[in-house]
Coordinates of all heavy atoms in Angstrom, one line a residue:
M1 N -3.8 -1.8 -5.3 CA -2.9 -0.7 -5.2 C -2.5 -0.5 -3.7 O -1.3 -0.3 -3.4 CB -3.5 0.6 -5.7 CG -3.8 0.5 -7.2 SD -2.3 0.5 -8.2 CE -1.8 2.2 -8.1
A2 N -3.5 -0.6 -2.8 CA -3.2 -0.4 -1.4 C -2.2 -1.5 -0.9 O -1.3 -1.1 -0.1 CB -4.5 -0.5 -0.6
T3 N -2.5 -2.7 -1.2 CA -1.6 -3.8 -0.7 C -0.2 -3.6 -1.3 O 0.8 -3.9 -0.7 CB -2.1 -5.2 -1.1 OG1 -2.4 -5.2 -2.5 CG2 -3.4 -5.4 -0.3
D4 N -0.1 -3.1 -2.5 CA 1.2 -3.0 -3.2 C 2.0 -1.9 -2.5 O 3.2 -2.0 -2.3 CB 1.0 -2.6 -4.7 CG 2.3 -2.7 -5.4 OD1 3.2 -3.5 -5.0 OD2 2.5 -1.9 -6.4
Y5 N 1.4 -0.8 -1.9 CA 2.1 0.2 -1.2 C 2.6 -0.3 0.1 O 3.7 0.2 0.6 CB 1.1 1.4 -1.0 CG 1.7 2.5 -0.2 CD1 2.5 3.5 -0.8 CD2 1.4 2.6 1.1 CE1 3.0 4.5 -0.1 CE2 1.9 3.7 1.9 CZ 2.7 4.6 1.2 OH 3.3 5.6 2.0
D6 N 1.8 -1.2 0.7 CA 2.2 -1.7 2.1 C 3.4 -2.7 2.0 O 4.2 -2.8 2.9 CB 1.0 -2.3 2.7 CG 1.1 -2.3 4.2 OD1 1.6 -1.2 4.7 OD2 0.7 -3.2 4.9
A7 N 3.5 -3.3 0.9 CA 4.5 -4.4 0.8 C 6.0 -4.0 0.9 O 6.7 -4.6 1.7 CB 4.3 -5.2 -0.6
P8 N 6.4 -2.9 0.2 CA 7.9 -2.6 0.2 C 8.3 -1.9 1.5 O 9.5 -1.5 1.5 CB 8.0 -1.6 -1.0 CG 6.6 -1.0 -1.1 CD 5.7 -2.1 -0.7
R9 N 7.5 -1.9 2.5 CA 7.9 -1.2 3.8 C 9.1 -2.0 4.4 O 9.1 -3.1 4.6 CB 6.7 -1.3 4.7 CG 6.5 0.1 5.4 CD 5.2 0.0 6.2 NE 5.0 1.2 7.0 CZ 4.0 1.2 7.9 NH1 3.1 0.3 8.0 NH2 3.8 2.3 8.6
K10 N 10.1 -1.3 4.8 CA 11.3 -1.9 5.4 C 11.5 -1.2 6.8 O 11.5 0.0 7.0 CB 12.5 -1.6 4.6 CG 12.5 -2.3 3.3 CD 13.8 -2.1 2.5 CE 13.8 -2.8 1.2 NZ 15.0 -2.5 0.4
T11 N 11.6 -2.1 7.8 CA 11.8 -1.6 9.2 C 13.1 -0.9 9.3 O 13.2 0.1 10.1 CB 11.8 -2.8 10.2 OG1 12.7 -3.8 9.8 CG2 10.4 -3.4 10.2
E12 N 14.1 -1.3 8.6 CA 15.4 -0.6 8.7 C 15.3 0.9 8.3 O 15.9 1.8 8.9 CB 16.5 -1.3 7.8 CG 16.9 -2.7 8.4 CD 17.9 -3.3 7.6 OE1 18.4 -2.7 6.6 OE2 18.4 -4.4 7.9
D13 N 14.6 1.1 7.2 CA 14.4 2.5 6.7 C 13.7 3.4 7.8 O 14.0 4.5 8.0 CB 13.6 2.5 5.4 CG 14.4 2.0 4.3 OD1 15.7 2.0 4.5 OD2 13.9 1.7 3.2
D14 N 12.7 2.8 8.5 CA 11.9 3.5 9.5 C 12.9 3.9 10.6 O 12.8 5.1 11.1 CB 10.8 2.6 10.0 CG 9.6 2.6 9.0 OD1 9.7 3.4 8.1 OD2 8.8 1.7 9.2
S15 N 13.7 3.0 11.1 CA 14.5 3.3 12.3 C 15.5 4.4 11.9 O 15.8 5.3 12.6 CB 15.2 2.1 12.8 OG 16.1 1.6 11.7
E16 N 16.0 4.3 10.7 CA 17.0 5.3 10.2 C 16.4 6.7 10.2 O 17.0 7.7 10.7 CB 17.6 5.0 8.9 CG 18.6 3.8 9.0 CD 19.2 3.5 7.6 OE1 18.8 4.2 6.7 OE2 20.0 2.6 7.5
S17 N 15.2 6.8 9.7 CA 14.5 8.1 9.5 C 14.2 8.7 10.9 O 14.4 9.9 11.2 CB 13.3 8.0 8.7 OG 12.3 7.1 9.4
I18 N 13.8 7.8 11.9 CA 13.5 8.2 13.2 C 14.8 8.8 13.9 O 14.8 9.9 14.5 CB 13.0 7.1 14.1 CG1 11.6 6.7 13.6 CG2 12.9 7.5 15.6 CD1 11.0 5.5 14.2
E19 N 15.9 8.1 13.7 CA 17.2 8.7 14.3 C 17.5 10.0 13.7 O 18.0 10.9 14.4 CB 18.3 7.6 14.1 CG 18.2 6.4 15.0 CD 19.3 5.5 14.7 OE1 20.2 5.8 13.9 OE2 19.3 4.4 15.3
A20 N 17.3 10.1 12.4 CA 17.6 11.4 11.8 C 16.7 12.5 12.3 O 17.2 13.6 12.6 CB 17.4 11.3 10.3
L21 N 15.5 12.2 12.6 CA 14.5 13.2 13.1 C 15.0 13.6 14.5 O 15.0 14.8 14.8 CB 13.1 12.6 13.1 CG 12.4 12.6 11.8 CD1 11.0 12.0 11.9 CD2 12.2 14.1 11.3
K22 N 15.3 12.6 15.3 CA 15.8 13.0 16.7 C 16.9 13.9 16.7 O 17.0 14.8 17.5 CB 16.1 11.7 17.5 CG 14.9 10.9 17.9 CD 15.3 9.6 18.6 CE 14.1 8.8 19.1 NZ 14.5 7.6 19.8
E23 N 17.9 13.7 15.8 CA 19.0 14.6 15.7 C 18.7 16.0 15.3 O 19.2 17.0 15.7 CB 20.1 14.0 14.8 CG 20.8 12.8 15.4 CD 21.8 12.2 14.5 OE1 22.0 12.8 13.4 OE2 22.4 11.2 14.8
R24 N 17.7 16.1 14.4 CA 17.3 17.4 13.9 C 16.4 18.2 14.8 O 16.4 19.4 14.7 CB 16.6 17.2 12.5 CG 17.5 16.7 11.4 CD 16.8 16.5 10.1 NE 17.7 15.9 9.1 CZ 17.2 15.6 7.9 NH1 16.0 15.8 7.6 NH2 18.1 15.1 7.0
V25 N 15.6 17.6 15.6 CA 14.6 18.3 16.4 C 15.2 19.4 17.3 O 14.7 20.5 17.3 CB 13.8 17.3 17.3 CG1 13.0 18.0 18.4 CG2 12.8 16.5 16.4
P26 N 16.3 19.1 18.1 CA 16.8 20.1 18.9 C 17.3 21.4 18.2 O 17.0 22.5 18.6 CB 18.1 19.4 19.6 CG 17.8 18.0 19.5 CD 16.9 17.8 18.2
D27 N 17.9 21.2 17.0 CA 18.3 22.3 16.2 C 17.1 23.1 15.7 O 17.1 24.4 15.8 CB 19.0 21.8 14.9 CG 20.4 21.3 15.3 OD1 20.9 21.6 16.4 OD2 21.0 20.5 14.5
K28 N 16.1 22.5 15.3 CA 14.9 23.2 14.9 C 14.3 24.0 16.0 O 13.9 25.2 15.9 CB 13.8 22.3 14.3 CG 14.2 21.8 12.9 CD 13.1 20.9 12.3 CE 13.4 20.5 10.9 NZ 12.4 19.7 10.3
L29 N 14.2 23.4 17.2 CA 13.5 24.1 18.4 C 14.4 25.3 18.8 O 13.8 26.4 18.9 CB 13.5 23.1 19.6 CG 12.4 22.0 19.4 CD1 12.4 21.1 20.6 CD2 11.0 22.7 19.3
S30 N 15.7 25.2 18.9 CA 16.5 26.3 19.3 C 16.4 27.4 18.2 O 16.4 28.6 18.6 CB 17.9 25.9 19.5 OG 18.5 25.4 18.3
G31 N 16.4 27.0 17.0 CA 16.3 28.0 15.9 C 15.0 28.8 16.0 O 15.0 30.0 15.9
N32 N 13.9 28.1 16.3 CA 12.6 28.8 16.4 C 12.6 29.8 17.6 O 12.1 30.9 17.5 CB 11.5 27.8 16.6 CG 11.1 27.1 15.3 OD1 11.5 27.6 14.3 ND2 10.5 25.9 15.4
V33 N 13.2 29.4 18.7 CA 13.2 30.3 19.9 C 14.0 31.6 19.6 O 13.6 32.6 19.9 CB 13.9 29.6 21.1 CG1 14.2 30.5 22.2 CG2 13.0 28.4 21.5
D34 N 15.1 31.4 18.9 CA 15.9 32.6 18.5 C 15.1 33.6 17.7 O 15.1 34.8 17.9 CB 17.2 32.2 17.8 CG 18.2 31.5 18.7 OD1 18.0 31.7 19.9 OD2 19.1 30.9 18.3
V35 N 14.4 33.0 16.7 CA 13.6 33.9 15.8 C 12.5 34.6 16.6 O 12.3 35.8 16.4 CB 12.9 33.0 14.7 CG1 11.9 33.9 13.9 CG2 14.0 32.4 13.8
E36 N 11.9 33.9 17.6 CA 10.8 34.5 18.4 C 11.4 35.6 19.2 O 10.8 36.7 19.4 CB 10.1 33.5 19.2 CG 9.2 32.5 18.4 CD 8.5 31.5 19.2 OE1 8.8 31.6 20.5 OE2 7.8 30.7 18.7
D37 N 12.6 35.4 19.8 CA 13.2 36.5 20.6 C 13.4 37.7 19.8 O 13.2 38.8 20.3 CB 14.5 35.9 21.1 CG 14.3 34.9 22.2 OD1 13.2 34.8 22.7 OD2 15.3 34.3 22.7
A38 N 13.9 37.6 18.6 CA 14.2 38.7 17.7 C 12.9 39.5 17.4 O 12.8 40.7 17.2 CB 14.9 38.3 16.5
D39 N 11.8 38.7 17.2 CA 10.5 39.3 16.8 C 9.8 40.0 17.9 O 9.0 40.9 17.7 CB 9.6 38.2 16.3 CG 10.0 37.8 14.9 OD1 10.8 38.5 14.3 OD2 9.5 36.7 14.4
N40 N 10.1 39.6 19.2 CA 9.4 40.2 20.3 C 10.4 40.8 21.4 O 10.5 40.4 22.5 CB 8.5 39.2 21.0 CG 7.5 38.7 20.1 OD1 6.9 39.4 19.4 ND2 7.2 37.4 20.1
P41 N 11.2 41.8 21.0 CA 12.1 42.4 21.9 C 11.5 43.1 23.1 O 12.0 43.2 24.2 CB 13.0 43.4 21.0 CG 12.1 43.7 19.9 CD 11.2 42.5 19.7
S42 N 10.3 43.7 22.8 CA 9.6 44.5 23.8 C 9.1 43.6 25.0 O 9.0 44.0 26.1 CB 8.4 45.2 23.2 OG 7.5 44.2 22.7
G43 N 8.9 42.3 24.7 CA 8.4 41.4 25.8 C 9.4 41.2 26.9 O 9.1 40.8 28.0
F44 N 10.7 41.5 26.6 CA 11.7 41.3 27.7 C 12.0 42.6 28.5 O 12.7 42.6 29.4 CB 13.0 40.8 27.0 CG 12.9 39.4 26.5 CD1 12.4 39.1 25.2 CD2 13.3 38.4 27.3 CE1 12.3 37.8 24.8 CE2 13.2 37.1 26.9 CZ 12.7 36.8 25.6
E45 N 11.4 43.7 28.1 CA 11.6 44.9 28.8 C 10.8 45.0 30.1 O 11.2 45.6 31.0 CB 11.3 46.1 27.9 CG 12.4 46.2 26.7 CD 12.0 47.4 25.9 OE1 11.2 48.2 26.2 OE2 12.7 47.6 24.8
L46 N 9.6 44.4 30.0 CA 8.7 44.5 31.2 C 9.3 43.8 32.4 O 9.3 44.4 33.5 CB 7.3 43.9 30.9 CG 6.5 44.8 29.9 CD1 5.2 44.1 29.5 CD2 6.2 46.1 30.6
P47 N 9.8 42.6 32.3 CA 10.4 41.9 33.5 C 11.6 42.8 34.0 O 11.8 42.8 35.2 CB 11.0 40.6 32.9 CG 10.1 40.3 31.7 CD 9.8 41.7 31.1
G48 N 12.4 43.4 33.2 CA 13.5 44.3 33.7 C 13.0 45.4 34.6 O 13.6 45.7 35.6
A49 N 11.8 46.0 34.2 CA 11.3 47.1 35.0 C 10.9 46.5 36.4 O 11.0 47.2 37.4 CB 10.1 47.7 34.3
D50 N 10.3 45.3 36.4 CA 9.9 44.7 37.7 C 11.1 44.5 38.6 O 11.0 44.7 39.8 CB 9.1 43.4 37.4 CG 7.8 43.6 36.8 OD1 7.3 44.8 36.9 OD2 7.2 42.7 36.3
L51 N 12.2 44.1 38.0 CA 13.4 43.8 38.8 C 13.9 45.0 39.5 O 14.3 45.0 40.7 CB 14.5 43.3 37.9 CG 14.4 41.8 37.5 CD1 15.5 41.4 36.6 CD2 14.4 40.9 38.8
S52 N 13.8 46.2 38.9 CA 14.3 47.4 39.5 C 13.4 47.7 40.7 O 13.9 48.2 41.8 CB 14.2 48.6 38.5 OG 12.9 48.8 38.1
D53 N 12.1 47.4 40.6 CA 11.2 47.6 41.8 C 11.6 46.7 42.9 O 11.6 47.1 44.1 CB 9.7 47.3 41.4 CG 9.1 48.5 40.6 OD1 9.7 49.6 40.6 OD2 8.1 48.3 40.0
V54 N 11.9 45.5 42.6 CA 12.3 44.5 43.7 C 13.6 45.0 44.4 O 13.7 45.0 45.6 CB 12.6 43.1 43.1 CG1 13.2 42.2 44.1 CG2 11.3 42.6 42.6
E55 N 14.6 45.6 43.6 CA 15.8 46.1 44.3 C 15.5 47.2 45.2 O 16.0 47.3 46.3 CB 16.8 46.5 43.2 CG 17.4 45.3 42.5 CD 18.4 45.8 41.4 OE1 18.2 46.9 40.9 OE2 19.3 45.0 41.1
L56 N 14.6 48.1 44.8 CA 14.2 49.3 45.6 C 13.6 48.8 46.9 O 13.9 49.3 48.0 CB 13.2 50.2 44.9 CG 13.8 51.1 43.9 CD1 12.7 51.9 43.2 CD2 14.8 52.0 44.5
D57 N 12.7 47.7 46.9 CA 12.1 47.2 48.1 C 13.2 46.7 49.1 O 13.1 47.0 50.2 CB 11.2 46.0 47.7 CG 9.9 46.5 47.2 OD1 9.6 47.7 47.4 OD2 9.1 45.7 46.6
V58 N 14.2 46.1 48.6 CA 15.2 45.6 49.5 C 16.0 46.7 50.2 O 16.2 46.7 51.3 CB 16.3 44.7 48.7 CG1 17.4 44.3 49.6 CG2 15.6 43.5 48.1
V59 N 16.3 47.8 49.4 CA 17.0 48.9 49.9 C 16.2 49.7 50.9 O 16.7 50.2 51.9 CB 17.5 49.9 48.8 CG1 18.1 51.1 49.4 CG2 18.4 49.2 47.9
V60 N 14.9 49.8 50.7 CA 14.0 50.5 51.6 C 14.0 50.0 53.0 O 13.8 50.7 53.9 CB 12.5 50.5 51.0 CG1 11.5 51.0 52.0 CG2 12.5 51.5 49.8
L61 N 14.2 48.6 53.1 CA 14.1 48.0 54.4 C 15.2 48.7 55.4 O 16.4 48.5 55.2 CB 14.5 46.5 54.3 CG 13.3 45.6 54.0 CD1 13.7 44.2 53.9 CD2 12.2 45.7 55.1
P62 N 14.7 49.5 56.4 CA 15.7 50.1 57.2 C 16.0 49.3 58.5 O 15.0 48.8 59.2 CB 15.0 51.4 57.6 CG 13.5 51.1 57.6 CD 13.4 49.9 56.7
P63 N 17.2 49.1 58.8 CA 17.5 48.3 60.0 C 17.1 49.1 61.3 O 17.2 50.3 61.3 CB 19.0 48.1 60.0 CG 19.5 49.2 59.0 CD 18.4 49.4 58.1
Q64 N 16.6 48.5 62.3 CA 16.2 49.1 63.5 C 17.4 49.7 64.2 O 18.5 49.4 63.9 CB 15.4 48.1 64.4 CG 14.2 47.5 63.8 CD 13.2 48.6 63.3 OE1 12.9 49.5 64.1 NE2 12.7 48.5 62.1
A65 N 17.1 50.5 65.2 CA 18.2 51.3 65.9 C 19.1 50.2 66.6 O 20.3 50.5 66.7 CB 17.6 52.2 67.0
D66 N 18.6 49.1 67.0 CA 19.4 48.1 67.7 C 19.8 47.0 66.8 O 20.3 46.0 67.2 CB 18.7 47.6 68.9 CG 17.4 46.9 68.5 OD1 16.9 47.1 67.4 OD2 16.8 46.2 69.4
E67 N 19.7 47.3 65.5 CA 20.1 46.3 64.5 C 21.0 46.8 63.5 O 21.2 48.0 63.3 CB 18.8 45.7 63.8 CG 17.9 44.9 64.7 CD 16.7 44.4 63.9 OE1 16.4 45.0 62.9 OE2 16.1 43.5 64.4
F68 N 21.7 46.0 62.7 CA 22.6 46.4 61.6 C 22.5 45.4 60.5 O 22.1 44.2 60.7 CB 24.0 46.5 62.1 CG 24.7 45.2 62.4 CD1 25.6 44.6 61.5 CD2 24.4 44.5 63.5 CE1 26.2 43.4 61.7 CE2 25.0 43.2 63.7 CZ 25.9 42.7 62.8
T69 N 22.9 45.8 59.3 CA 23.0 44.9 58.2 C 24.4 44.6 57.9 O 25.2 45.4 57.6 CB 22.4 45.5 56.9 OG1 21.0 45.9 57.2 CG2 22.4 44.6 55.8
C70 N 24.8 43.3 58.1 CA 26.2 42.8 57.8 C 26.5 43.0 56.3 O 25.7 42.6 55.4 CB 26.3 41.4 58.2 SG 27.9 40.7 57.7
V71 N 27.6 43.7 56.0 CA 27.9 43.9 54.6 C 28.5 42.7 53.9 O 28.8 42.7 52.7 CB 28.9 45.1 54.4 CG1 28.3 46.4 54.9 CG2 30.2 44.8 55.2
S72 N 28.7 41.6 54.7 CA 29.3 40.4 54.1 C 28.2 39.4 53.8 O 28.2 38.9 52.7 CB 30.3 39.8 55.1 OG 30.8 38.6 54.5
C73 N 27.3 39.1 54.7 CA 26.2 38.2 54.4 C 24.9 38.9 54.2 O 23.9 38.3 53.9 CB 26.1 37.2 55.6 SG 25.6 38.0 57.2
F74 N 24.8 40.2 54.4 CA 23.6 41.0 54.1 C 22.5 40.6 55.0 O 21.3 40.8 54.6 CB 23.3 41.0 52.6 CG 24.4 41.5 51.7 CD1 25.2 40.6 51.0 CD2 24.7 42.8 51.7 CE1 26.2 41.0 50.2 CE2 25.7 43.3 50.9 CZ 26.5 42.4 50.1
L75 N 22.7 40.0 56.1 CA 21.6 39.7 57.0 C 21.5 40.8 58.1 O 22.5 41.4 58.5 CB 21.9 38.4 57.7 CG 21.9 37.1 56.8 CD1 22.2 35.9 57.6 CD2 20.5 37.0 56.2
V76 N 20.2 41.1 58.5 CA 20.0 42.1 59.5 C 20.2 41.4 60.9 O 19.5 40.4 61.1 CB 18.6 42.7 59.4 CG1 18.3 43.6 60.6 CG2 18.5 43.4 58.1
K77 N 21.1 41.9 61.7 CA 21.4 41.2 63.0 C 21.3 42.2 64.1 O 21.4 43.4 63.9 CB 22.7 40.5 62.9 CG 22.8 39.5 61.8 CD 23.9 38.5 62.0 CE 23.8 37.4 60.9 NZ 24.6 36.2 61.3
H78 N 21.3 41.7 65.3 CA 21.3 42.6 66.5 C 22.7 43.2 66.7 O 23.7 42.6 66.3 CB 20.9 41.8 67.7 CG 20.6 42.7 68.9 ND1 21.5 42.9 69.9 CD2 19.4 43.3 69.2 CE1 20.9 43.7 70.8 NE2 19.7 44.0 70.4
R79 N 22.7 44.4 67.3 CA 24.0 45.1 67.5 C 25.0 44.2 68.2 O 26.2 44.4 68.0 CB 23.8 46.4 68.3 CG 23.2 47.5 67.4 CD 22.9 48.7 68.2 NE 24.1 49.3 68.9 CZ 24.1 50.2 69.7 NH1 22.9 50.8 70.0 NH2 25.2 50.7 70.3
S80 N 24.5 43.4 69.1 CA 25.5 42.5 69.9 C 26.2 41.6 68.9 O 27.2 41.0 69.4 CB 24.7 41.8 70.9 OG 23.7 40.9 70.3
Q81 N 25.7 41.4 67.7 CA 26.4 40.4 66.8 C 27.4 41.1 65.9 O 28.1 40.5 65.1 CB 25.3 39.8 65.9 CG 24.2 39.0 66.6 CD 24.8 37.8 67.3 OE1 25.5 37.0 66.6 NE2 24.7 37.7 68.6
I82 N 27.7 42.4 66.1 CA 28.7 43.1 65.4 C 30.1 42.7 65.9 O 30.4 42.8 67.0 CB 28.6 44.7 65.5 CG1 27.3 45.1 64.8 CG2 29.8 45.4 64.8 CD1 27.1 46.7 64.9
D83 N 30.9 42.3 64.9 CA 32.3 41.9 65.3 C 33.2 43.2 65.2 O 33.9 43.5 66.1 CB 32.8 40.8 64.4 CG 34.2 40.4 64.8 OD1 34.3 39.5 65.7 OD2 35.2 40.9 64.2
H84 N 33.1 43.9 64.0 CA 33.9 45.1 63.9 C 33.3 45.9 62.7 O 32.5 45.3 61.9 CB 35.3 44.8 63.6 CG 35.6 44.0 62.3 ND1 35.4 42.7 62.2 CD2 35.9 44.5 61.1 CE1 35.7 42.4 60.9 NE2 36.0 43.4 60.2
Q85 N 33.7 47.1 62.6 CA 33.2 48.0 61.5 C 34.3 47.9 60.4 O 35.5 48.3 60.6 CB 33.0 49.4 61.9 CG 31.8 49.6 62.8 CD 30.5 49.6 62.1 OE1 30.5 49.8 60.9 NE2 29.4 49.5 62.8
S86 N 33.9 47.5 59.2 CA 34.9 47.5 58.0 C 34.7 48.8 57.3 O 33.8 49.6 57.6 CB 34.6 46.3 57.1 OG 33.4 46.5 56.4
K87 N 35.5 49.0 56.2 CA 35.3 50.2 55.4 C 34.0 50.3 54.7 O 33.4 51.3 54.5 CB 36.4 50.2 54.3 CG 37.8 50.4 54.8 CD 38.8 50.3 53.7 CE 40.2 50.4 54.2 NZ 41.2 50.3 53.2
L88 N 33.4 49.1 54.4 CA 32.1 49.1 53.8 C 30.9 49.1 54.8 O 29.8 49.5 54.4 CB 32.0 47.8 52.9 CG 33.0 47.7 51.8 CD1 32.8 46.4 51.1 CD2 32.8 48.8 50.8
G89 N 31.2 48.7 56.0 CA 30.1 48.7 57.0 C 30.4 47.6 58.0 O 31.5 47.1 58.1
P90 N 29.4 47.3 58.8 CA 29.5 46.4 59.9 C 29.7 45.0 59.4 O 29.0 44.5 58.5 CB 28.3 46.6 60.8 CG 27.2 47.1 59.8 CD 28.0 47.9 58.8
I91 N 30.5 44.2 60.1 CA 30.7 42.8 59.8 C 30.2 42.0 61.1 O 30.6 42.3 62.2 CB 32.2 42.4 59.6 CG1 32.7 43.2 58.4 CG2 32.4 40.9 59.3 CD1 32.1 42.9 57.1
C92 N 29.4 41.0 60.8 CA 28.8 40.2 62.0 C 29.9 39.2 62.4 O 30.9 38.9 61.7 CB 27.5 39.5 61.6 SG 27.8 38.1 60.5
V93 N 29.7 38.7 63.6 CA 30.6 37.8 64.3 C 30.8 36.5 63.4 O 31.9 35.9 63.4 CB 30.2 37.5 65.7 CG1 30.3 38.7 66.6 CG2 28.8 36.9 65.8
E94 N 29.7 36.1 62.8 CA 29.7 34.8 62.0 C 30.6 35.0 60.8 O 31.4 34.1 60.4 CB 28.3 34.4 61.6 CG 27.5 34.0 62.8 CD 26.1 33.5 62.3 OE1 26.0 33.1 61.1 OE2 25.2 33.5 63.1
C95 N 30.6 36.2 60.1 CA 31.4 36.4 58.9 C 32.9 36.7 59.4 O 33.8 36.3 58.6 CB 30.9 37.6 58.1 SG 29.3 37.2 57.4
A96 N 33.1 37.2 60.5 CA 34.4 37.6 61.0 C 35.1 36.3 61.5 O 36.4 36.3 61.5 CB 34.4 38.6 62.0
A97 N 34.4 35.3 61.9 CA 35.0 34.1 62.4 C 35.8 33.4 61.4 O 35.5 33.4 60.2 CB 33.9 33.1 62.9
Ligands
ZN1 ZN1 27.7 38.5 58.2

């Protein structure tokens, strides 16, 4: 019985089934990810809270008296680097060039 099962094996059938599996794998993986996202909506709220903290940290940084924050490149530079004051704030010489 064992030898009879091994005999009808065809290499052409194996290659065809492998190609079919390769085409189906990406669809199955993406489908599983979507299902997991729907099942765990709370898991995505925690990173969002952390992002708001990061934004606050950036705003808290106060420029020194002899420094300014360019509203174009958002870099803190020395007052000597101010090219002009725009409606939004100071523009550094590099951005004004
Ligand atoms: Zn600038």
